[in-house]
Amino acid sequence: MTDKRPLITNTKCECGHQNPVGTVLCEACGKPVDGEEQLSADNLEMRYDGVARRSQRVNPGVIDLVWNFFSSVKIAIYLIVLTLLGSMLGTVFPQESTFLNIDASTYYQETYGTAGEIYYKLGLSHTYESWWFVTLLVLIGASLVICSLDRVLPLYKALTRQKIRKHRQFLTRQKVVLVTELQDEPEAWVARLVKPLQKKGYRVRTEGGALLAEKHRFSRWGPYVIHIGLIIFLLAVLARGLPGLNMDQHLAFQQGEAVRIPDTTYYLKNEKFTVEFYTEEEMPKEFRGTKILPKLYETKAILYECTADCTDPSKEPKLAEVARHNIQVNSPLSYNGLKAYQFDYDLTPVLRSVQPELTNSESGKVYGKFKLDMKNPQRTFQAGPYTLELKEKYMDFGLNDEGQPVSKSPYPNAPAFLFLIRGPDLPAGGQQYFYFPKQVDKEKFQMEAINDKLGGSGRFLELEVGSMSDVDFSESTAYLNIRVDRAMPFVWIGAGIVMLGLVLGFYWQHRRIWLAIDQGELVLGGHTNKNWFGFRREIVSILAKADLTVDEKSLDNGGGLA
Amino acid sequence: MGKARKPVQIIILFVILLLGGYAIGSSVFGGDGKPKEGGKAPSFELLGLDGQTHTLNEYKGKSVVLNFWGSWCAPCVKEMPALQAQWEKWKDQGVVVVGVNVGEDQMTVENFVKLVDINFPVVMDSGRDAVRSYGVSPLPTTFFINAKGRVDSIHIGQLDLGTLDDQIRKLVEP
């Protein structure tokens, strides 16, 4: 099955080393493996030290083909470019996730016209959650892992198994080369170089008249460290989709009520919300009288954790306080990864309960007082000799098309209560009485007229609230943004590792000097990955310590690098 | 290059396939977490008017017509007789109609049930948990859930007797 491919048999170097397929430079002596390449005089290709990448195999199977696809840097670049273009599409119009309450199916068309409609229909209003975008990210992730493994392991092996004595061609085809006469005794001269090299930070190994000096090899791992960081980053982003790792919701907290935070065992209570504005004196002149500037938004919040009866709706949950914080802008309540940010507020008072008195409108006699809750009220009340039975309750009183009383919303905007009162001097079946706690509703809905009709002209009972202290209402509603993002630390760790890799790769260079003295001739080759100018200077200064004066420029063997 | 090379390659590719498959899968099928037609109906645990806690699970094996309503919502009120009629017609054939009241208190719900004269099970979603997990926004919204616990269809807006009957028939005789 191999006869369709060119038979590559000539991978054995003249030094006797058997190289794997795909090797460019002999793993042992550094001589080019390819016959044609041996005849050339150009600079050597030093990528990955000329070793074969893992994916370069003679007979790739299916697994190898998949592996090879992802190990290609070309593919990786295409993927990155595609991802960049895809991300750009997501920035044309705001993404759906940036809005709190919109109907996306109509919003885009209404706001941006036909273009918006097409944008929405193409699914670009949620680009970053779309299957194709996630697929691109996954492919990049795969490419990152496989590219790295495909290169880092062979490179690691090549760099840890370096031979000191290299082939002459390997040395003379580097980008830094020196070939010169040298009459000194080889071993002694080489020994003289060791100290100055070490002083410059090189690790030096010698073998007879040959020498290998190397420094900052770790900078070669920079790109792979970056890749590890990116992989952690990608995995962390991926993990945000797992249940419980990420939450972002906006909830309303009416003052004085512990509200359950969905999908958690936490309850949060808004004890008091305050908004303060700058006074005229505090503002600069040009703002006075024209602007209202808020100074403080603060929600006094208590966080509770449910300890028992949490899910059973027939029981009251048992709560234990776990945290307390005055939430201000940029100062969220933070507990165990859960954060509550100040987001919005509403100062519309919401009626919670009233304590009306049953009075005799003729004699002025007060029979008694009872507490009437807006939500889940008691059904019967006793006031003196009178029993009041709550028959109907309307939170937002109104009349429907047929003229029947209904509630227009579940919110206590215009609460109304229908009582059946029984007691002395009343008809045997009792007397009906409509009660509107809010003064404005009493007038609007003509409470008196209704009750006159219900109770007849002889009615003498009224429900009235004595003072404001008998009215309980929530002064405010605080809107908080509740967030949990447990994947975030890993995003930061990933980003930190990327930074570390960048620093490793950018601020240090891997420098190597090979040197051999044979028959009165010194052959020196040098390789680094950047700052060739500095590298040549360093070599010149080191050679000078061994009484060898070299012109810096003469070291440059071309290759177009400074 | 040791002998472990091939297995290592396979393991790495497998892990990538697994993680990638999960990521892509959740972006395709996960959506916004709201139930879709054909998707699994989210479970709920709500207090019924009978004082008992009711869950979706207890209707397992039955077709469920889950109707979200509020006493203040006029179309909800109007469709109640149709729901009641279909409940009476189908209850012996493995169909249960469940009314989910959205955010009102017990008294309001009790009075309403008495007023419109319905006797199918009614549960109260006072914390709007089911509303959230079912992604209900306008009322009424009705979910037709088959015996396997999957959402067969979703109807937003008022139901009339005819459509209701057709939908239930589809549930019972697929």
Side-chain angles (χ1 to χ4, degrees), chain A residues 28 110 126 128 157 165 187 198 248 258 332 414 485 546 554 556:
Chain A
E110 279 163 16
H126 43 85
Y128 308 113
K157 278 177 187 152
R165 192 176 281 276
E187 284 193 36
Q198 280 173 341
D248 187 354
D485 201 343
S554 73
D556 191 354

Side-chain angles (χ1 to χ4, degrees), chain A residues 447-510:
Chain A
M447 177 167 134
E448 215 159 310
I450 297 177
N451 285 329
D452 285 347
K453 211 172 161 197
L454 287 173
S457 52
R459 98 193 159 84
F460 55 94
L461 289 171
E462 290 286 359
L463 277 174
E464 267 160 16
V465 168
S467 72
M468 274 316 277
S469 63
D470 289 335
V471 181
D472 176 34
F473 57 89
S474 134
E475 293 161 26
S476 63
T477 304
Y479 292 88
L480 302 178
N481 179 204
I482 309 289
R483 282 186 181 176
V484 173
D485 201 343
R486 300 198 193 281
M488 209 53 206
F490 297 98
V491 170
W492 287 116
I493 289 170
I497 293 174
V498 168
M499 201 49 165
L500 178 75
L502 282 168
V503 169
L504 284 183
F506 274 139
Y507 293 97
W508 284 278
Q509 305 103 42
H510 182 212

Side-chain angles (χ1 to χ4, degrees), chain A residues 16-118:
Chain A
H17 183 78
Q18 179 65 56
N19 290 301
V21 176
T23 306
V24 181
L25 305 174
C26 172
E27 290 177 342
C29 72
K31 190 185 174 197
V33 173
D34 180 47
E36 245 171 74
E37 180 61 26
Q38 285 171 7
L39 301 173
S40 160
D42 295 341
N43 287 136
L44 290 175
E45 175 55 69
M46 285 290 285
R47 225 165 12 165
Y48 317 119
D49 264 35
V51 293
R53 279 178 286 121
R54 214 169 210 219
S55 55
Q56 291 171 318
R57 312 199 67 194
V58 193
N59 291 310
V62 181
I63 299 266
D64 292 312
L65 283 173
V66 175
W67 187 269
N68 292 359
F69 175 80
F70 284 114
S71 71
S72 157
V73 171
K74 202 158 98 182
I75 296 288
I77 289 169
Y78 283 137
L79 288 174
I80 291 167
V81 170
L82 280 177
T83 310
L84 281 177
L85 293 174
S87 319
M88 281 161 64
L89 289 177
T91 63
V92 177
F93 295 131
Q95 294 280 293
E96 268 174 59
S97 56
T98 53
F99 301 104
L100 277 185
N101 285 313
I102 57 157
D103 180 11
S105 55
T106 53
Y107 176 83
Y108 284 91
Q109 198 202 348
E110 279 163 16
T111 320
Y112 306 107
T114 316
E117 197 185 357
I118 296 170

Side-chain angles (χ1 to χ4, degrees), chain A residues 6-7 64 231 270 291 390 477 493 521 541:
Chain A
L7 231 68
D64 292 312
I231 290 161
N270 160 17
K291 281 208 160 86
L390 183 59
T477 304
I493 289 170
E521 191 187 39
S541 74

Side-chain angles (χ1 to χ4, degrees), chain B residues 76-147:
Chain B
C76 303
V77 182
K78 287 191 187 125
E79 71 178 5
M80 282 299 162
L83 283 166
Q84 175 64 22
Q86 294 301 345
W87 154 247
E88 280 165 13
K89 177 176 172 191
W90 290 97
K91 65 179 169 187
D92 298 329
Q93 297 171 56
V95 178
V96 61
V97 176
V98 179
V100 182
N101 173 268
V102 177
E104 292 180 285
D105 66 6
Q106 182 140 5
M107 177 177 181
T108 313
V109 178
E110 274 174 9
N111 282 349
F112 180 83
V113 165
K114 230 180 281 163
L115 182 76
V116 295
D117 195 20
I118 49 175
N119 62 14
F120 54 81
V122 170
V123 293
M124 290 173 290
D125 187 15
S126 51
R128 294 178 188 243
D129 296 319
V131 168
R132 194 173 291 112
S133 60
Y134 275 82
V136 173
S137 56
L139 288 182
T141 297
T142 309
F143 291 80
F144 295 89
I145 301 164
N146 67 23

